[in-house]
Amino acid sequence: MRIRSLGVIDDAVVELSPGFTAVTGETGAGKTMVVTSLGLLLGGRADPALVRIGSEKAVVEGRVSVPAGASAAVRAEEAGAELDDGALLISRTVSAEGRSRAHLGGRSVPVGLLAELADDLVAVHGQTDQQGLLKLSRQRQALDRYAGDGVAVPLAKYGEAYRRLRAVAAELEEIVTRARERAQEADMLRYGLDEIAGVEPRAGEDVELAEEAERLGHAEALSSAATAAHSALAGNPEDPEGIDAATLVAGAHRALEAVRSHDPALAALADRIGEVGILLGDVAGELAGYADDLDADPLRLAAVEERRAALTALTRKYGAYGDGIDAVLAWAEQGAARLTELDGDDERIDELTAERDALRAELGGLAQALTDARTEAAERFAAAVTAELGSLAMPHARVSFAIRQTEDPEGVEVGGRAVAYGPAGADEVELLLAPHPGAPPRPIAKGASGGELSRVMLAVEVVFAGTDPVPTYLFDEVDAGVGGKAAVEIGRRLAKLAKSAQVVVVTHLPQVAAFADRQLLVEKTNDGSVTRSGVKVLEGEERVRELSRMLAGQDDSETARAHAEELLATARADR
């Protein structure tokens, strides 16, 4: 990794070995920034306060080897990233204003993608993870993770049934608690539908009536106009001397017909005048019929206006979805469908109640299957962790799990009892520790010291490494509170884990650092920053000097030097 302008680090390169790398240095030298940098590369939260004072941004770049065909490699390639000779190049930039950017394999990607890849690349554990292990929910999650498909399969089925039960129960509660409101809504719908049914409107009827009312209201004027137009076209029987259009056109047609044989052009005009005469006759006939059919009945006009008033009243009340009587009919259609739904409440309540009871019974059976799977896995998990504690200077410690349920009359039936349940089942899982023979098993939150908790956490992680391995493990001072022989055993166990994975440990313990394949020293310059030369690989005499400082607080103590050389010799002999 290359780290620039992050915390106390100005510009430094961290080279991690394939095996066991220990990161050491004085308190406050910036060792934690190594962990923070890796966290940023893995999609961790970007805190602008981490940007070095006076810098515009902090940048962390890393090169992560990924096996061909690994899920992380496949996912990265799907996102458009390119692998560089079997490695992913990852970059994360954090500005002083809080903006964050991520690049993967030369492609800009969402930060969430880095977090998605992290689970397949690195397992990070620090003192906060130890505190997390004290929570019952985390202990259950640890057991479920160890159990694998044995718990994952029934848990998936349980989760599906649980979500369906929640949905059914919520709908049932909504119907029951809102029964009065729904009844009032049903009454209003019935009233509206009855009122509309009483009027019996037709689609488009309001438009038809408006046209009829306009015609009836101007009947006399329309009749006079039609009669006058008819007289102008066809003549008035009461005025035989009058001149009309039909007579004039007929005269014109006769005049041309008499000479049409002498000129084809004139014959064509005669034909056209003949067509005009026919058209005038048709129009005159329709005008006569219109005048005869026109009804000026005031009673009919009153009936039309009354009908229009009834339709207008409906439109004002129920035409919210648009204009005109068509909107009223649309409201009636929707209202009828809603009324059918509301009137079916009792039937729906019965259906939902039956479905809820069936789901509760099914959930109880699935919860029992989860309990059985967890109980079986807990025995194997506890035995494996106990065995690991034996190699961590806790040979007489015993780890076990308490799996129990809490009675709840409103819960599901498991093992003949009604118990509380949640999205992960009905089990409360608690990790117990008996540190020595004769000591009763107690919750690790109450029965484990800081050093014991560190070793339990490491033992759990080592067990996970055998069942759910990742390429890299990062431990940030998980050896806090440990010393002496226990520290030596932790170093030895980490070295063993490093034979199958890359292990990076930030530590204050020389007993742990001595077992590392590579030791990195983080040290500040005189101005309080960590520069490129401030993270260096220790070898030979430099490593002995650093271990002496870690042992005695001074690097020139002959006794400390002898002890440091002895630690290194012991570690080399174990390899």
Side-chain angles (χ1 to χ4, degrees):
M1 291 189 299
R2 183 180 182 185
I3 309 167
R4 287 178 288 169
S5 301
L6 186 71
V8 298
I9 298 180
D10 179 23
D11 190 345
V13 175
V14 180
E15 299 178 8
L16 305 176
S17 74
F20 179 5
T21 300
V23 182
T24 64
E26 293 280 5
T27 300
K31 300 186 301 300
T32 301
M33 287 298 103
V34 175
V35 180
T36 302
S37 300
L38 188 55
L40 287 173
L41 288 182
L42 299 176
R45 187 178 69 87
D47 185 355
L50 294 174
V51 179
R52 183 171 173 78
I53 296 175
S55 300
E56 295 181 357
K57 61 184 179 181
V59 180
V60 182
E61 300 166 307
R63 180 183 176 89
V64 182
S65 297
V66 182
S71 59
V74 173
R75 182 67 185 91
E77 290 174 342
E78 288 175 350
E82 296 183 1
L83 271 68
D84 179 21
D85 193 19
L88 274 175
L89 300 180
I90 306 175
S91 174
R92 183 80 182 276
T93 302
V94 181
S95 72
E97 290 79 23
R99 293 188 301 274
S100 172
R101 294 180 180 176
H103 289 80
L104 178 68
R107 178 66 62 87
S108 178
V109 297
V111 174
L113 178 60
L114 301 185
E116 187 178 330
L117 298 179
D119 292 338
D120 296 322
L121 297 176
V122 181
V124 180
H125 296 282
Q127 295 187 49
T128 55
D129 297 280
Q130 291 184 15
Q131 296 304 312
L133 190 61
L134 300 180
K135 299 178 180 178
L136 297 185
S137 60
R138 289 289 297 275
Q139 293 173 24
R140 175 186 52 72
Q141 291 169 7
L143 176 58
D144 290 353
R145 175 185 166 193
Y146 174 82
D149 288 344
V151 166
V153 173
L155 183 58
K157 295 179 180 178
Y158 175 93
E160 183 178 349
Y162 177 82
R163 289 187 292 273
R164 176 57 187 158
L165 176 58
R166 290 286 298 270
V168 168
E171 183 179 354
L172 182 59
E173 182 180 3
E174 193 270 342
I175 292 177
V176 172
T177 56
R178 293 188 56 203
R180 176 177 296 181
E181 295 177 18
R182 294 168 73 91
Q184 291 174 346
E185 182 184 356
D187 288 342
M188 292 177 63
L189 287 173
R190 287 192 192 92
Y191 177 82
L193 292 172
D194 288 345
E195 187 174 9
I196 294 171
V199 176
E200 296 183 341
R202 292 182 293 103
E205 183 182 4
D206 51 342
V207 176
E208 297 174 4
L209 289 174
E211 293 175 353
E212 185 178 1
E214 183 73 12
R215 187 169 60 251
L216 290 172
H218 299 82
E220 291 185 7
L222 293 172
S223 178
S224 298
T227 300
H230 178 269
S231 297
L233 294 178
N236 186 347
E238 297 179 359
D239 184 12
E241 301 297 329
I243 300 176
D244 59 82
T247 300
L248 293 173
V249 170
H253 185 256
R254 286 193 301 270
L256 294 180
E257 280 290 315
V259 294
R260 66 177 295 156
S261 61
H262 302 302
D263 187 351
L266 198 62
L269 291 174
D271 291 339
R272 291 172 64 185
I273 290 176
E275 293 173 358
V276 170
I278 294 172
L279 181 60
L280 284 174
D282 290 342
V283 172
E286 291 182 14
L287 285 171
Y290 177 84
D292 292 339
D293 294 339
L294 192 61
D295 186 5
D297 184 2
L299 294 179
R300 174 56 186 167
L301 178 58
V304 169
E305 293 295 351
E306 183 179 355
R307 180 66 177 174
R308 292 184 68 199
L311 296 181
T312 300
L314 291 181
T315 303
R316 288 174 179 171
K317 287 185 179 181
Y318 309 109
Y321 298 100
D323 297 326
I325 203 64
D326 289 350
V328 175
L329 294 173
W331 181 92
E333 182 180 356
Q334 296 175 17
R338 175 60 174 166
L339 184 59
T340 300
E341 178 185 337
L342 294 172
D343 285 341
D345 274 359
D346 291 342
E347 181 179 346
R348 183 60 177 157
I349 287 173
D350 292 340
E351 293 176 355
L352 290 173
T353 300
E355 185 176 3
R356 180 198 62 187
D357 294 343
L359 284 169
R360 286 170 64 89
E362 179 185 358
L363 209 62
L366 292 172
Q368 182 65 64
L370 267 177
T371 300
D372 294 341
R374 283 172 175 149
T375 300
E376 186 276 332
E379 294 179 359
R380 293 186 287 110
F381 193 17
V385 174
T386 297
E388 284 297 330
L389 289 177
S391 64
L392 294 173
M394 295 178 68
H396 304 296
R398 294 291 179 270
V399 167
S400 59
F401 281 93
I403 300 177
R404 54 182 177 267
Q405 298 83 31
T406 300
E407 292 192 8
D408 182 353
E410 301 297 324
V412 297
E413 186 172 329
V414 178
R417 297 182 304 146
V419 299
Y421 64 99
D427 300 321
E428 294 178 6
V429 177
E430 190 164 31
L431 185 60
L432 307 178
L433 174 67
H436 53 80
R442 300 184 63 193
I444 59 172
K446 301 177 180 178
S449 64
E452 289 170 340
L453 183 59
S454 296
R455 282 176 280 177
V456 171
M457 180 68 186
L458 178 57
V460 167
E461 204 51 54
V462 169
V463 171
F464 280 150
T467 58
D468 185 21
V470 293
T472 300
Y473 291 86
L474 174 62
F475 296 95
D476 182 17
E477 299 188 16
V478 294
D479 49 17
V482 179
K485 181 180 179 182
V488 173
E489 296 302 332
I490 287 178
R492 181 175 286 120
R493 193 61 189 85
L494 288 171
K496 183 178 179 182
L497 178 60
K499 292 180 179 179
S500 59
Q502 182 184 42
V503 176
V504 182
V505 180
V506 177
T507 183
H508 286 287
L509 294 180
Q511 297 94 328
V512 172
F515 281 86
D517 299 305
R518 171 179 289 183
Q519 184 172 348
L520 300 181
L521 174 64
V522 181
E523 59 182 356
K524 294 181 181 179
T525 58
N526 292 334
D527 65 358
S529 67
V530 177
T531 62
R532 182 182 297 273
S533 61
V535 180
K536 62 181 181 180
V537 179
L538 299 180
E539 295 179 351
E541 179 62 26
E542 288 182 327
R543 189 171 185 187
V544 172
R545 186 181 301 113
E546 170 63 6
L547 290 176
S548 299
R549 181 199 64 76
M550 296 171 72
L551 283 164
Q554 49 187 354
D555 53 18
D556 57 354
S557 167
E558 289 300 325
T559 303
R561 287 178 58 81
H563 191 185
E565 291 172 349
E566 182 181 359
L567 280 175
L568 288 171
T570 300
R572 283 192 292 267
D574 276 0
R575 292 176 185 165

